Amino acid sequence: MKGANVIKVLIAEDQSLILGALAALLDMEDDIEVVARAVNGKDALKLAADTSPDVVVTDIEMPGMTGLEFAQALKEKQHPAKVIIVTTFARPGYLRRALSAGVKGYLLKDAPANQLAEAIRKVKDGGKAIAPELATEAWDADDPLNDRERQVLRLAGEGLTSGDIAKQLFLSEGTVRNYLSEAIGKLGASNRIEAARIARQKGWL
Amino acid sequence: MKGANVIKVLIAEDQSLILGALAALLDMEDDIEVVARAVNGKDALKLAADTSPDVVVTDIEMPGMTGLEFAQALKEKQHPAKVIIVTTFARPGYLRRALSAGVKGYLLKDAPANQLAEAIRKVKDGGKAIAPELATEAWDADDPLNDRERQVLRLAGEGLTSGDIAKQLFLSEGTVRNYLSEAIGKLGASNRIEAARIARQKGWL
DNA sequence: CCGGGCATGTGACAAACGTCACAGACCGGG
DNA sequence: CCCGGTCTGTGACGTTTGTCACATGCCCGG
């Protein structure tokens, strides 16, 4: 549990207070050493190259580059570090995207505090650590929206009218209404507001 | 910095991982001792009575009883503990409600990690600790909504139709439309969706 | 008791929304 | 080449939304 056997960890988290607190939590473990901290994905990418951590712990929602994009980038660079996502959001869509980015762990912020260290050890040894409440329902539904529907729905969720959306996407208003109608149908909603809410909650944005 | 001079702290935070991490962070300080932890406002209230902490650090958004309601309750019981709010949300409405509940500190989760301990010491000594980015803009706008408008707008933001809202609140549909129209006007929005978005973002729910 | 707020309801109207059937354009595979 | 998708647009239709003027009832202070 010492010397060369220490697990080197990089933490990425945009809320500094949480970042510091997580670091303090992990530093209490004998076999874990926090070798670097980053407040966004870009910094994390650079620091990962410099400090070659064994495991990266990252949030998802960060300004600039999200944790998911960061994991994707690490994978493309064939960096050997294992990635663990720690997030507030139990959204199946997030987990799916995370897994296809090669992420090895996905924990929720309301998991017990000791699970983080456990997950790090497990992942370091080649295992996986997925939050149990998500492991099962991850595959309950695929994102049924296509790109246009997603774009239109996102803008509708901001409060734009069909006409506004049409102008922004260079479509006719009728077409926008058609896409919205499609999306509402696919999501089982009864209007654009509910549809946007559902899509957001599932992580389909 | 030891013995009777240690500051006794209670932490309330619904995300266990963050709760544990914050506790670890504070336990590193010689003059601070975490005497209790709670994952919601109700537990916090009971533990505050049992352990008589000097300072309570609490999140706002927790299931059941929010941090703001908790602060209010502590004040009504005339409990001597000072309250520090730690939250993600820089919403003027929240800060205002917090201050009128007698809260002594209001920090954002993206503040530097060492500020929490600093804030605790400051508040313990009778001072205040308000996140600087909020201190100024706290008074830029008052919540213009009345209770009915708030209720109606909240439901509208969920995607309910005017008719649904009317049934739920035992109002006529026309009245619901009137309240919505009022709210939309007051908030400078152009439809219910935008109005809900604005109100949510300002912390007026 | 009166007057003025406030909460609630009504009716009417234009605008926006949601649905549907359908049509042209394009693109790829057989 | 034609056939089948997918994307986009149109027109029509009934429904919901947003706005406004106005009515009713209720309570509180003078």
Side-chain angles (χ1 to χ4, degrees):
Chain A
M1 289 289 179
K2 63 170 67 161
N5 270 336
V6 165
I7 307 175
K8 290 159 66 180
V9 175
L10 162 65
I11 308 182
E13 159 69 60
D14 64 320
Q15 299 185 311
S16 312
L17 190 53
I18 306 302
L19 173 57
L22 287 175
L25 183 68
L26 291 180
D27 270 335
M28 292 171 47
E29 307 289 329
D30 294 335
D31 57 338
I32 293 176
E33 184 192 353
V34 177
V35 296
R37 309 172 182 196
V39 294
N40 61 57
K42 278 192 67 180
D43 287 1
L45 216 46
K46 180 177 301 179
L47 286 170
D50 292 349
T51 62
S52 54
D54 301 306
V55 176
V56 179
V57 174
T58 177
D59 192 7
I60 287 189
E61 309 217 326
M62 293 184 292
M65 176 183 255
T66 71
L68 292 172
E69 291 163 346
F70 165 69
Q72 189 68 45
L74 259 197
K75 185 187 178 191
E76 279 161 15
K77 289 189 167 191
Q78 311 202 341
H79 192 287
K82 314 289 204 303
V83 175
I84 297 179
I85 302 267
V86 175
T87 181
T88 304
F89 305 105
R91 295 178 184 162
Y94 277 1
L95 175 55
R96 187 154 354 184
R97 270 191 272 166
L99 291 178
S100 61
V103 162
K104 295 292 186 296
Y106 192 105
L107 292 187
L108 297 180
K109 280 185 179 170
D110 51 9
N114 58 3
Q115 276 198 16
L116 181 56
E118 289 303 324
I120 289 175
R121 294 190 190 100
K122 209 161 161 187
V123 162
K124 166 72 186 331
D125 291 342
K128 289 198 172 190
I130 309 292
E133 49 271 65
L134 278 173
T136 53
E137 64 165 320
W139 311 100
D140 66 345
D142 241 324
D143 181 353
L145 303 176
N146 63 36
D147 288 347
R148 280 308 202 189
E149 287 156 7
R150 220 188 321 281
Q151 288 177 55
V152 168
L153 195 52
R154 179 158 36 228
L155 294 176
E158 307 278 333
L160 300 202
T161 67
S162 301
D164 296 336
I165 299 172
K167 270 174 232 142
Q168 231 171 87
L169 300 184
F170 304 103
L171 295 175
S172 89
E173 182 174 336
T175 304
V176 170
R177 286 216 300 276
N178 285 338
Y179 284 133
L180 276 172
S181 189
E182 272 295 301
I184 291 168
K186 285 180 178 176
L187 297 177
S190 59
N191 57 53
R192 56 179 70 192
I193 315 178
E194 201 184 347
R197 203 174 49 74
I198 293 173
R200 230 189 302 273
Q201 183 236 317
K202 297 262 190 183
W204 299 331
L205 251 184
Chain B
M1 290 286 185
K2 63 171 67 164
N5 271 334
V6 164
I7 307 176
K8 290 160 66 180
V9 175
L10 162 65
I11 308 182
E13 156 71 60
D14 64 320
Q15 299 186 313
S16 311
L17 191 53
I18 306 303
L19 173 57
L22 287 175
L25 183 68
L26 291 180
D27 270 335
M28 292 172 48
E29 307 289 329
D30 294 335
D31 56 339
I32 293 177
E33 184 191 355
V34 178
V35 296
R37 309 172 183 197
V39 294
N40 61 57
K42 277 192 65 180
D43 288 1
L45 215 46
K46 181 177 302 179
L47 287 170
D50 291 351
T51 62
S52 55
D54 301 306
V55 176
V56 178
V57 173
T58 178
D59 192 7
I60 287 190
E61 309 217 325
M62 292 185 292
M65 176 182 256
T66 70
L68 292 172
E69 291 162 346
F70 165 69
Q72 189 69 44
L74 257 197
K75 184 188 180 191
E76 278 161 15
K77 291 190 166 191
Q78 311 202 342
H79 192 290
K82 313 290 204 302
V83 176
I84 296 179
I85 302 266
V86 176
T87 181
T88 304
F89 306 105
R91 295 176 186 163
Y94 277 1
L95 175 54
R96 185 154 356 181
R97 271 190 272 167
L99 290 178
S100 61
V103 162
K104 295 292 188 296
Y106 192 104
L107 291 186
L108 297 180
K109 281 185 179 170
D110 51 10
N114 57 5
Q115 276 198 14
L116 180 55
E118 287 304 324
I120 290 176
R121 294 188 190 102
K122 208 161 160 188
V123 163
K124 166 73 188 331
D125 291 343
K128 289 200 171 192
I130 308 294
E133 51 272 64
L134 279 173
T136 52
E137 63 165 321
W139 311 99
D140 65 347
D142 240 325
D143 182 352
L145 303 176
N146 63 35
D147 288 347
R148 279 308 202 190
E149 286 156 6
R150 220 188 322 280
Q151 286 177 56
V152 166
L153 195 52
R154 179 158 40 228
L155 294 176
E158 307 279 332
L160 301 202
T161 66
S162 301
D164 294 337
I165 298 172
K167 270 174 231 142
Q168 232 171 85
L169 300 184
F170 305 103
L171 294 175
S172 90
E173 183 174 335
T175 304
V176 170
R177 288 218 299 278
N178 286 339
Y179 285 134
L180 276 172
S181 189
E182 273 295 303
I184 291 167
K186 285 180 178 177
L187 298 177
S190 59
N191 58 51
R192 55 179 69 193
I193 314 177
E194 201 183 347
R197 204 172 51 71
I198 292 173
R200 230 189 303 274
Q201 182 236 317
K202 296 262 191 184
W204 299 332
L205 251 182

